[in-house]
Amino acid sequence: MSDVRAILHCDLDAFYASVEQRDHSEYRGKPVIVGGAPGERGVVMAASYEARAFGVRSAMPLRTAALLCPDAIFVPGDRDAYVTASEQVMALFRERTPLVEPISLDEAFLDVTATEHLFGDRESMARAIKREVRERCGLVISVGVATNKLCAKIGSDLRKPDGLVVVAPGGEAAFLAPLAIERLWGVGVRTRELLAGWGITTIGALAAFDREALETRLGEFGVAIWERAHGIDDGSVTPSEDYVPKSVGHSHTFFENTLDTRTIESTLLRLSEGVGQRLRDQALLGRTITLTLRVAPFETRTRQRTLADATNDDQRIFHVARDLLREALAEDREGGHISPVRLVGVTASGLVGGEQLKLFEVARHNRLNAALDAVRARFGDEALDRASAKSLKERRRFSGHKSR
Ligand SMILES: [Mg+2]
């Protein structure tokens, strides 16, 4: 087996906004801004590519975004939907290799060195992952393929959206050379300005700079970025167990705000079934049930109840959520201010159980068994133990029946 590593960096494109467009066909092809109402104080959490064309960016105040793109569809954001989508995508990654290191909900490193011979070469594996994320999750992903994390990460970002950049082994320094210096890890605004003062604006210029001179001027940091500029990065992909949720929830936004109790309750039943299913899938039980009601336009209320014994039963969850709903509506009626409901949600928290390590659940799948064997053969049991040791800690925490 070759000693050259095969690392993939997989990054979903405009993740939150893409989930919104996937789940609401009426948003497709339109500028979508996730974060809240246009007049609110908050910032943009994500913007669809249609909104980015107007200059809207993440972390920009919502009010600025509204000035740039007044016709955009503004949505508050649905964290449960994003977490669910992320779980699906990460599970798909783990079918190709157990060495998956999630960086955030929409981003992960995969070490496929030991498994690439099972699925074809690294590039066809990247193409297959892109295709499956599209077909099975309805989302678009960019992938960088390289011998290390640094080049894979920079690669995935280069041709977004729907990008695929493959850096050939040995071609790392040449790949980086023409790129702007700020693409390099560790180079922020201050370092960029400092380097610009020495005539360094590309990664190639930094690589060509005298190593000792950099060390004298910037110390260890100077050596570190000089090595990176040469495409050197030995950092390993550290697998972590499947995302262990603090809570499991589902919500639904009504197309038109509603006051119809029957509509809200039947929606609540469907949501409760979804929550129960996900709890059972992960061998979890929830102790606290929370009802979320968002009334027009963006006021959110929650009510919760903690049960004597934890549950993952659909009917049980539904009955608690329905009681909470009826209490909330009765209180409104007494107060004489009934506002139509825009969104309803059910969440189970105070989770206990989780005896199944998901890694090995998925491993029942034949091809992953083959992948696990290949990783063991190459890296030894240690590579897999790192993942399970962490999970064991989580399980101990769970067995103390403490919610996280
Ligand atoms: Mg992303």
Side-chain angles (χ1 to χ4, degrees):
M1 203 180 289
S2 136
D3 278 312
V4 177
R5 294 190 298 156
I7 311 292
L8 271 49
H9 181 259
C10 299
D11 190 3
L12 289 149
D13 300 326
F15 178 51
Y16 297 167
S18 300
V19 172
E20 296 292 343
Q21 287 179 320
R22 180 195 67 181
D23 295 347
H24 304 89
S25 55
E26 68 273 22
Y27 296 172
R28 290 181 202 156
K30 300 200 176 124
V32 174
I33 294 171
V34 180
E40 275 183 321
R41 276 182 185 285
V43 296
V44 174
M45 287 160 62
S48 72
Y49 283 92
E50 294 85 355
R52 292 183 194 194
F54 289 85
V56 178
R57 297 286 179 269
S58 291
M60 174 183 276
L62 286 164
R63 287 172 187 173
T64 311
L67 291 175
L68 290 169
C69 191
D71 295 329
I73 298 164
F74 285 81
V75 297
D78 180 353
R79 190 170 163 85
D80 296 332
Y82 310 149
V83 168
T84 305
S86 174
E87 284 170 2
Q88 286 168 350
V89 173
M90 295 293 170
L92 193 149
F93 293 160
R94 288 189 175 89
E95 290 176 13
R96 305 268 157 183
T97 172
L99 302 181
V100 174
E101 179 182 355
I103 301 302
S104 62
L105 282 182
D106 70 328
E107 212 184 307
F109 285 108
L110 282 62
D111 186 333
V112 298
T113 311
T115 55
E116 69 170 331
H117 69 282
L118 295 170
F119 307 112
D121 60 29
R122 56 192 71 190
E123 183 174 340
S124 47
M125 211 194 281
R127 287 188 192 283
I129 287 174
K130 282 169 64 67
R131 190 177 57 241
E132 285 182 16
V133 168
R134 189 189 291 273
E135 287 171 1
R136 287 163 56 183
C137 308
L139 295 167
V140 178
I141 194 164
S142 291
V143 181
V145 184
T147 59
N148 58 41
K149 291 165 94 172
L150 171 71
C151 292
K153 165 96 174 153
I154 292 174
S156 74
D157 196 47
L158 269 189
R159 292 196 197 129
K160 275 182 161 292
D162 201 14
L164 172 62
V165 171
V166 181
V167 183
E172 294 82 5
F175 161 72
L176 294 174
L179 302 178
I181 192 72
E182 58 265 29
R183 285 199 176 267
L184 208 58
W185 287 353
V187 177
V189 179
R190 263 192 55 210
T191 309
R192 188 188 67 196
E193 284 170 2
L194 192 71
L195 295 174
W198 305 337
I200 301 172
T201 57
T202 64
I203 298 178
L206 178 62
F209 207 77
D210 185 64
R211 186 181 186 274
E212 270 71 50
L214 274 174
E215 187 169 11
T216 309
R217 296 183 197 186
L218 298 173
E220 267 175 46
F221 174 69
V223 178
I225 57 172
W226 184 86
E227 285 186 348
R228 274 176 223 153
H230 282 261
I232 300 166
D233 167 36
D234 296 328
S236 63
V237 173
T238 309
S240 66
E241 81 285 7
D242 269 63
Y243 180 80
V244 180
K246 289 189 181 91
S247 64
V248 169
H250 281 285
S251 62
H252 176 81
T253 304
F254 293 107
F255 193 65
E256 277 175 2
N257 301 345
T258 181
L259 279 167
D260 180 39
T261 314
R262 224 183 308 168
T263 304
I264 302 171
E265 289 192 0
S266 65
T267 305
L268 212 48
L269 173 60
R270 192 168 49 77
L271 296 171
S272 301
E273 287 167 348
V275 170
Q277 184 64 55
R278 268 176 70 208
L279 288 172
R280 291 192 297 279
D281 283 350
Q282 300 178 68
L284 294 169
L285 298 166
R287 188 178 289 281
T288 300
I289 306 299
T290 302
L291 170 83
T292 303
L293 276 183
R294 188 170 294 138
V295 294
F298 281 114
E299 188 202 330
T300 303
R301 299 182 205 155
T302 60
R303 278 173 177 261
Q304 63 179 43
R305 179 158 303 151
T306 298
L307 310 171
D309 52 327
T311 186
N312 58 19
D313 179 73
D314 301 350
Q315 287 297 321
R316 185 93 196 282
I317 295 167
F318 170 61
H319 287 140
V320 175
R322 191 186 55 187
D323 288 350
L324 292 170
L325 173 73
R326 288 178 178 175
E327 287 168 20
L329 295 179
E331 217 169 79
D332 268 12
R333 236 172 275 126
E334 271 168 37
H337 53 267
I338 304 171
S339 19
V341 174
R342 179 180 170 76
L343 169 146
V344 62
V346 190
T347 305
S349 58
L351 303 184
V352 294
E355 42 244 68
Q356 271 298 352
L357 173 55
K358 257 216 169 164
L359 185 66
F360 296 106
E361 229 174 61
V362 186
R364 283 193 216 109
H365 206 279
N366 277 345
R367 68 176 177 179
L368 186 61
N369 273 327
L372 289 169
D373 289 343
V375 168
R376 250 185 229 112
R378 184 182 171 90
F379 298 111
D381 279 336
E382 210 187 304
L384 297 172
D385 287 347
R386 273 202 301 270
S388 41
K390 205 169 162 197
S391 166
L392 195 66
K393 236 188 281 168
E394 299 295 341
R395 275 185 285 162
R396 288 215 186 97
R397 206 170 344 176
F398 273 132
S399 64
H401 283 211
K402 253 185 244 156
S403 77
R404 300 206 298 143

